[in-house]
Amino acid sequence: MSFIDEVYRVALSDLYYLRRNILPLLATSLITPLLYLVAFGYGLGNGVVMEGVSYIAFVIPGVVSLTTLSSSFTTISNKLMVQKRFYESFDEMMLCPISKSSIIFGKTILGIIKGMMCGSILLALGFLMTDDLHITVGLVACMLLSCVVFSLLGVAAGMIVSDLPRMNLFNSFVILPMTFLCGTMFSLNALPEVVKVIIDLLPLTQTSACIRASALGWEFPWLHMVLLVAYGALFYLLALWSLRKSN
């Protein structure tokens, strides 16, 4: 079988799962970003200007960025954990004569599709809320890259973390802080320099910078794009290492 065929066969059961449960999956993934959008965009941002644009225009790309993180990562890591711990279907798949890379990318498909769907819905709502946003090919490409990177992180975490309590710990100490600190809701320029340097290195910061620049027509931060691709490669290698270790 070709690599694409192997990836499709790995992803097929997840795609059936998405088709059967698409409405509840979208609803659970969108409720929190929508609350952020209303609370921060309208509740706190009326008349506020940030980095030269209205706060609502500033925060919408940030909410889209964190949605690509939460939708992609949570979907993959939780489903992979359940398949490993309770149904053992993942162990059966590991016995199939397909490459480890096919398994990794096949398991990311669900997170990529769900992340793009949720991000697109939020963008559509955002364009109704402000005239400052622009749909571009670069914006779609940045969203897609973000979904791929965080889906790969979901595969790596789902393989490395041994049980659900530890996964919840990872979410609390890694995913949740990134949600609020990586330039999604406020500008990083006001932070102390040392803190700003650390946050600048986190993957969601790269996503926020790329998506915001594409949506608002700012100069594109190519360094952030390179760092985001590097994170994707790192997460892929972690997933590959964990798969080989589990044999």
Side-chain angles (χ1 to χ4, degrees):
M1 292 187 293
S2 68
F3 176 75
I4 294 178
D5 190 35
E6 289 180 354
V7 169
Y8 171 74
R9 290 174 184 271
V10 172
L12 190 58
S13 63
D14 292 337
L15 295 177
Y16 283 136
Y17 168 78
L18 177 64
R19 187 177 69 178
R20 291 194 304 269
N21 302 281
I22 186 167
L23 290 180
L25 285 174
L26 289 178
T28 53
S29 294
L30 286 172
I31 185 65
T32 300
L34 286 173
L35 288 174
Y36 286 153
L37 205 58
V38 173
F40 287 94
Y42 282 124
L44 299 178
N46 251 346
V48 176
V49 175
M50 187 164 290
E51 296 192 12
V53 296
S54 64
Y55 183 73
I56 189 68
F58 179 88
V59 81
I60 288 171
V63 173
V64 171
S65 300
L66 69 88
T67 301
T68 61
L69 163 64
S70 59
S71 297
S72 301
F73 172 82
T74 305
T75 299
I76 300 302
S77 59
N78 288 349
K79 197 165 193 305
L80 194 54
M81 181 70 67
V82 169
Q83 289 176 336
K84 282 173 52 188
R85 297 283 296 178
F86 301 105
Y87 296 114
E88 299 183 353
S89 58
F90 189 81
D91 295 333
E92 294 177 358
M93 185 173 58
M94 289 286 288
L95 299 174
C96 298
I98 56 178
S99 68
K100 299 293 190 296
S101 294
S102 300
I103 295 175
I104 292 170
F105 285 104
K107 299 308 292 183
T108 64
I109 297 299
L110 176 62
I112 293 170
I113 293 176
K114 186 182 172 189
M116 287 298 293
M117 291 174 67
C118 293
S120 298
I121 291 172
L122 287 171
L123 269 182
L125 292 175
F127 283 111
L128 297 176
M129 299 167 69
T130 177
D131 296 328
D132 293 330
L133 300 179
H134 309 282
I135 297 179
T136 63
V137 174
L139 175 58
V140 176
C142 289
M143 288 174 56
L144 179 60
L145 176 60
S146 177
C147 291
V148 171
V149 170
F150 292 122
S151 293
L152 288 169
L153 176 60
V155 175
M159 290 300 304
I160 294 172
V161 180
S162 57
D163 52 39
L164 289 175
R166 286 179 174 80
M167 182 63 74
N168 291 333
L169 197 66
F170 183 85
N171 287 330
S172 297
F173 282 92
V174 178
I175 302 301
L176 185 60
M178 281 202 298
T179 299
F180 290 98
L181 296 178
C182 291
T184 53
M185 304 296 181
F186 58 88
S187 173
L188 299 180
N189 295 331
L191 294 175
E193 192 62 30
V194 175
V195 177
K196 183 176 182 297
V197 169
I198 295 172
I199 294 177
D200 268 338
L201 295 175
L202 298 176
L204 186 57
T205 304
Q206 324 307 323
T207 294
S208 299
C210 293
I211 290 179
R212 183 169 286 120
S214 300
L216 298 178
W218 294 352
E219 182 180 355
F220 191 79
W222 290 104
L223 178 58
H224 287 286
M225 173 70 80
V226 172
L227 289 173
L228 190 59
V229 172
Y231 270 114
L234 174 62
F235 298 151
Y236 164 76
L237 292 175
L238 283 174
L240 185 62
W241 170 78
S242 61
L243 279 177
R244 288 175 174 172
K245 185 181 177 182
S246 65
N247 281 350

